[in-house]
Amino acid sequence: MMENKKGVMTVKEFAQATGFTEWAVKMLIKEERIYYMKIGRKFYIHYAKTMNYWMNDPINGFTRKTISLD
């Protein structure tokens, strides 16, 4: 799942890459637990930065136990 061809993804692409639903990704954006930028009405997520944050900050992010990277 960690294989990524783009650095920045749409909500739909990020959901597919991580296994989350689009709704869950939007909730993570709302909670500011994802590195994102908003252009107009669309959200774009920085995949590598978000994964690095989640894997290296178990208090604010997710731990390896909660996300399967296989």
Side-chain angles (χ1 to χ4, degrees):
M1 277 208 188
M2 285 283 287
E3 190 173 318
N4 178 26
K5 294 178 176 59
K6 299 189 327 185
V8 177
M9 306 173 124
T10 63
V11 169
K12 184 175 185 173
E13 292 169 336
F14 188 81
Q16 291 172 344
T18 59
F20 287 112
T21 63
E22 289 182 45
W23 179 85
V25 173
K26 289 176 184 177
M27 290 296 103
L28 291 169
I29 289 171
K30 185 177 179 180
E31 295 169 2
E32 297 186 353
R33 295 180 73 182
I34 287 181
Y35 282 92
Y36 71 92
M37 62 184 145
K38 184 176 181 185
I39 301 175
R41 295 175 56 194
K42 292 201 169 221
F43 290 95
Y44 296 93
I45 300 157
H46 193 286
Y47 181 84
K49 214 170 185 180
T50 298
M51 288 297 142
N52 187 44
Y53 170 67
W54 284 351
M55 294 301 125
N56 295 316
D57 190 356
I59 294 171
N60 293 318
F62 294 95
T63 64
R64 293 183 194 275
K65 292 179 184 174
T66 59
I67 294 180
S68 173
L69 298 178
D70 299 326

